[in-house]
Amino acid sequence: MERLQKVLAHAGVASRRHCEELIAQGKVQVNGQVVREKGIKVDPLKDKIVVNGQQVKLEQHVYLLLYKPTGVITSVTDPRGRRVVIDLLKGIKERVYPVGRLDYDTSGLLLLTNDGELANRLAHPSYEIDKVYRAWVKGIPSQDEVRKLATGIRLEDGMTSPGQSKLLKTESSSQRALVELTIHEGRNRQVRRMCEAIGHPVLTLERIRLGFLTLDGLKPGEFRKLTQEEVESLKQGLVQKKRSPRSKR
């Protein structure tokens, strides 16, 4: 059971605040009865909900984990006709949307869902969800440069928040290194810009983990549905992070 305004917002009727106004104005019916109490709870899979005389089509929430390959746009459509992540979801009938984004030339873990509230929380930096990337970079960064990636880099849009960084491997012959970086933000091309700032541009980039979710068992282009236990763990983890005091940085 979920609050009526939350169900309406998830169905795309309007923002949650506007949905509350529609309820207060008597424009919403549940099972043939006008309701004016915004706190009323409904079963989105069983109850018949009508707004302004039109029945609301409710979809069951779907949660997908995709191993995004490079050369695919993180979008539902592309005006230039390029391949988008939705094209990879064969057999999925529900309308789902990417949670955050991965660049065209970045591969790795991407969540897609029609649960708007969960998507917004996962994407918001205040919840500090770990996003772990592995990048092959040009040249061999020093330990001091690797530490700078963790403590914070000044970019044109401000300092990055502290995270974690590791130098996993170096290849002297090809003059490249493998760096692992954990961040909580989601700025545009952030990891690439951070590595560029320390003088070691990214050659290839992949997101290998989001929270406790990994790419285990998947190949590029493949996806799977999250288990109910994984969905509940995600939601519970977000609640706990929001309730706990944020560290001073």
Side-chain angles (χ1 to χ4, degrees), residues 34 74 94 113 156 161:
V34 174
T74 303
E94 294 85 358
T113 184
E156 61 269 23
S161 295

Side-chain angles (χ1 to χ4, degrees), residues 53-116:
Q54 293 188 343
Q55 184 172 349
V56 177
K57 295 182 179 180
L58 302 173
E59 292 182 330
Q60 188 171 4
H61 284 160
V62 177
Y63 308 88
L64 306 176
L65 190 159
L66 170 70
Y67 191 157
K68 176 193 170 299
T70 57
V72 179
I73 303 293
T74 303
S75 179
V76 176
T77 60
D78 180 63
R80 294 167 57 183
R82 293 172 295 180
R83 199 178 188 195
V84 296
V85 291
I86 301 301
D87 295 332
L88 303 175
L89 306 180
K90 304 303 182 184
I92 301 300
K93 298 179 181 179
E94 294 85 358
R95 296 172 299 171
V96 295
Y97 305 90
V99 178
R101 68 188 305 275
L102 291 177
D103 297 326
Y104 180 81
D105 47 359
T106 299
S107 64
L109 194 157
L110 181 70
L111 288 183
L112 299 100
T113 184
N114 54 2
D115 184 341

